[in-house]
Amino acid sequence: MNHKQLKIFAICCMVFDHAVRIFPLHQIFGPLADLLWSRGYPDLADWVLEDIPLYLMYIGRLAAPIFLYCAAQGFVHTSSVRRYIGRVLLAAVIAQIPYTLFDLAESRLLGIAGDWRETSLNILFTLALALCVLVLHEELKRRKRLVLSPLVVAAATWLAEGLNLEGGKGYILLVWVYYITRNCPRWQKALLYIPAVMLSRWGLVLWALESLGTPECSRVLRNVLLNVLGNYFGMLAALSDNGEKGRVGKGFQFFCYAFYPAHFAVLALIGFLRPPL
């Protein structure tokens, strides 16, 4: 895929990931599961109601790693890093209100009393911070102090977590890894991405290890695999980029920035109109 096709694929995955929070998969597959139960196929019904939704959720997990990759590539190819970061920050500010409304709509559907103050800052804020890390990385490289770059990543990760940025615990690291491995062969990238994604999700990995031998072990492992392995699959999907930009003009660029808050606004409206689940 060229860069444009990869970004469109990521947008589709993102929409799916967010849409199923308003239209839960277990609710969609519920009638089929009930039919199988009534026909005497309980095992198949359980598989339809539990396993199929879980496997489909991997689609949504591909989106974020691809967008992180696109941010790193954008840093490499932009003619003005300052303007690039400015565009990302502006889009982040515009998207925050519909992003918050979407979060509140989901809470309403689940019967949870949502609080807008607890909503994280959307992923575009995370990308803007990650781009600043790459700026400092290049400055350290120029000053021949590149050994300090991991400390910058660690500090930015700490800041992202403190500011409650979406994916703050690991997304900064993944953008940095994408950038410093950009000239490596694909097979080397695939190998280097393994420890990177494990480290970016170290909290989940520890949760899985702590759950071993407990009654909740199976549920925890399924959740961890979804969020760790799913992210790794997304990183591998980014390797499909053939290096070509594709036919990308200012119209497509505007669409990408505008679509992010717009799809949250639409899903939030639907979420507030739907009866609670």
Side-chain angles (χ1 to χ4, degrees):
M1 289 187 286
N2 60 39
H3 193 71
K4 179 179 180 180
Q5 292 169 336
L6 184 63
K7 188 169 288 188
I8 292 174
F9 174 71
I11 289 173
C12 293
C13 292
M14 176 187 70
V15 172
F16 176 85
D17 189 45
H18 294 155
V20 296
R21 291 167 61 178
I22 302 299
F23 302 97
L25 291 173
H26 71 270
Q27 190 178 52
I28 295 174
F29 286 100
L32 177 58
D34 290 340
L35 177 62
L36 292 171
W37 268 97
S38 65
R39 296 294 176 87
Y41 302 101
D43 293 339
L44 186 57
D46 289 341
W47 182 75
V48 167
L49 194 58
E50 297 180 9
D51 292 345
I52 290 182
L54 177 66
Y55 299 144
L56 289 176
M57 287 299 293
Y58 277 89
I59 297 173
R61 294 303 182 272
L62 302 178
I66 298 176
F67 283 125
L68 301 178
Y69 169 81
C70 291
Q73 289 297 307
F75 181 85
V76 173
H77 298 293
T78 185
S79 58
S80 173
V81 172
R82 181 177 297 181
R83 287 201 297 268
Y84 181 35
I85 296 176
R87 289 195 301 269
V88 173
L89 273 176
L90 177 61
V93 172
I94 294 173
Q96 189 58 34
I97 291 179
Y99 177 82
T100 302
L101 291 174
F102 168 76
D103 187 62
L104 294 176
E106 181 189 19
S107 297
R108 173 187 170 277
L109 288 174
L110 297 175
I112 301 173
D115 186 345
W116 66 269
R117 291 167 295 186
E118 296 179 358
T119 302
S120 64
L121 295 177
N122 66 74
I123 193 173
L124 293 181
F125 285 105
T126 314
L127 293 182
L129 180 57
L131 292 171
C132 292
V133 168
L134 299 186
V135 171
L136 293 175
H137 173 88
E138 284 301 306
E139 181 62 21
L140 290 171
K141 183 178 179 180
R142 186 182 68 82
R143 297 187 181 190
K144 298 182 179 180
R145 296 180 179 178
L146 202 55
V147 67
L148 298 177
S149 187
L151 296 180
V152 173
V153 175
T157 300
W158 174 81
L159 178 61
E161 188 172 358
L163 294 175
N164 194 23
L165 303 188
E166 183 181 354
K169 292 183 178 180
Y171 287 176
I172 304 291
L173 171 65
L174 294 186
V175 173
W176 181 72
V177 168
Y178 276 135
Y179 185 71
I180 64 174
T181 63
R182 65 190 183 280
N183 295 322
C184 295
R186 288 183 179 179
W187 69 268
Q188 287 186 4
K189 291 179 182 179
L191 291 178
L192 292 171
Y193 289 168
I194 296 175
V197 75
M198 295 285 284
L199 186 58
S200 73
R201 294 289 186 173
W202 63 269
L204 288 175
V205 174
L206 289 178
W207 184 35
L209 293 175
E210 291 171 355
S211 71
L212 294 177
T214 67
E216 294 186 347
C217 180
S218 178
R219 179 185 63 83
V220 171
L221 288 179
R222 285 161 66 95
N223 186 286
V224 170
L225 283 176
L226 173 63
N227 290 284
V228 177
L229 196 58
N231 271 11
Y232 181 65
F233 287 157
M235 298 185 78
L236 292 182
L239 294 179
S240 65
D241 186 359
N242 60 16
E244 298 178 2
K245 190 175 182 179
R247 298 180 62 182
V248 178
K250 290 186 177 180
F252 179 73
Q253 186 182 76
F254 175 79
F255 165 78
C256 292
Y257 282 117
F259 184 83
Y260 185 69
H263 91 283
F264 277 130
V266 171
L267 289 174
L269 178 60
I270 296 172
F272 281 115
L273 293 176
R274 287 197 71 193
L277 301 177

